[in-house]
């Protein structure tokens, strides 16, 4: 009976041991590095440098993804058993380059990156890694459960995946609203602040940590 209870407890606790609390600690350094980079570039007269914006947005929007990618690589090299947190970290790591391509193409075709029409650029810098993490998490659940039907059933019951979907859906609305109201990232500091505000990637790991701690 005790063995059966332990098996049931483990099956009902998908976040146990998944180390989401370690992923949360990677967010703040990215924010700080992005903001400091923005302030420094502004002080050098590079307020509208495209390369400067790329650098600032990468740090502020994806700094934690670099650290989380290192976390996942370290876990893989240590041959630890695969976990949702590891899959989540890999997805974020591989999503880093997508906004670079979107940003470059937008500038080439003449999109006003400072106006309303350019609202999606900080969105992808902030959340393309989150989209990758969400997809990676779904694939993890599909492999774990053995079928898409069972994987999707677990996905819609998984607090981290639902929090991730919530962030992915609502953030672009906030960015668009801010641009409509007149906000424009005309300095690198504003670029950093806009990206930081959009980068709510800390919410899903926080949900996972809270679920792991208080369940």
């Amino acid at each position: 009976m005790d063995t059966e209870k332990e098996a049931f407890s483990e099956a009902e606790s998908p976040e146990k041991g998944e180390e989401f609390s370690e992923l949360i600690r990677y967010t703040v350094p990215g924010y700080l590095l992005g903001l400091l980079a923005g302030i420094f570039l502004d002080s050098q007269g590079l307020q509208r440098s495209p390369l400067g914006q790329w650098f600032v947005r990468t740090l502020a929007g994806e700094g934690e993804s670099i650290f989380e990618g290192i976390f996942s690589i370290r876990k893989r090299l240590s041959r630890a058993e695969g976990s949702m947190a590891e899959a989540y970290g890999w997805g974020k790591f591989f999503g880093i380059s997508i906004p670079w391509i979107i940003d470059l193409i937008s500038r080439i075709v003449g999109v006003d990156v400072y106006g309303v029409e350019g609202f999606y650029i900080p969105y992808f810098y902030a959340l393309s890694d989150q989209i990758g993490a969400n997809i990676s998490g779904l694939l993890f659940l599909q492999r774990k459960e053995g079928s898409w039907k069972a994987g999707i059933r677990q996905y819609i019951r998984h607090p981290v995946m639902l929090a991730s979907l919530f962030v992915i859906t609502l953030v672009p609305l906030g960015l668009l609203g801010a641009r409509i109201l007149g906000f424009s990232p005309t300095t690198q500091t504003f670029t950093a602040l806009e990206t930081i505000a959009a980068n709510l990637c800390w919410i899903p790991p926080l949900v996972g940590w809270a679920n792991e701690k208080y369940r």
Side-chain angles (χ1 to χ4, degrees):
M1 290 295 292
D2 290 340
T3 301
E4 291 178 358
K5 288 180 180 179
E6 288 177 6
F8 179 82
S9 177
E10 290 177 2
E12 291 299 304
S13 302
E15 278 72 48
K16 184 178 181 180
E18 289 185 345
E19 298 171 296
F20 280 106
S21 58
E22 185 167 350
L23 295 184
I24 295 171
R25 294 198 297 269
Y26 300 145
T27 302
V28 174
Y31 286 173
L32 291 177
L33 288 173
L35 185 58
L36 290 174
I39 294 171
F40 174 76
L41 290 171
D42 283 344
S43 71
Q44 300 301 306
L46 300 172
Q47 289 87 346
R48 295 204 179 198
S49 166
L51 286 177
Q53 284 198 319
W54 163 77
F55 184 64
V56 168
R57 282 184 171 135
T58 297
L59 289 176
E62 303 183 297
E64 84 281 356
S65 298
I66 298 171
F67 294 123
E68 288 171 16
I70 294 172
F71 163 82
S72 295
I73 292 171
R74 179 166 57 83
K75 286 298 178 184
R76 180 49 56 203
L77 291 177
S78 68
R79 298 183 180 180
E81 182 180 353
S83 68
M84 173 66 81
E86 181 189 335
Y88 190 86
W90 275 115
K92 289 173 72 64
F93 186 66
F94 286 119
I96 289 175
S97 63
I98 295 174
W100 302 347
I101 299 171
I102 293 173
D103 192 357
L104 179 61
I105 293 176
S106 298
R107 293 176 188 272
I108 290 174
V109 301
V111 172
D112 179 7
V113 298
Y114 299 102
V116 175
E117 63 189 87
F119 81 96
Y120 62 89
I121 294 177
Y123 169 70
F124 283 108
Y125 271 100
L127 292 179
S128 65
D129 52 355
Q130 185 65 212
I131 295 170
N134 197 276
I135 294 172
S136 183
L138 176 59
L139 293 175
F140 172 83
L141 291 173
Q142 184 272 329
R143 291 193 301 269
K144 179 181 177 182
E145 298 299 324
S147 71
W148 279 108
K149 183 177 180 180
I152 292 174
R153 187 182 304 118
Q154 288 299 316
Y155 176 93
I156 62 178
R157 295 168 56 187
H158 200 293
V160 175
M161 293 294 96
L162 293 181
S164 175
L165 185 62
F166 177 81
V167 168
I168 290 169
T169 303
L170 292 186
V171 165
L173 299 178
L175 287 169
L176 177 59
R179 292 287 183 102
I180 290 174
L181 292 174
F183 177 83
S184 179
T186 53
T187 70
Q188 302 295 358
T189 302
F190 284 168
T191 295
L193 292 173
E194 180 183 49
T195 308
I196 289 171
N199 185 6
L200 299 181
C201 293
W202 52 271
I203 290 180
L206 179 62
V207 170
W209 173 81
N211 189 61
E212 178 181 320
K213 183 176 178 64
Y214 297 109
R215 181 164 182 157

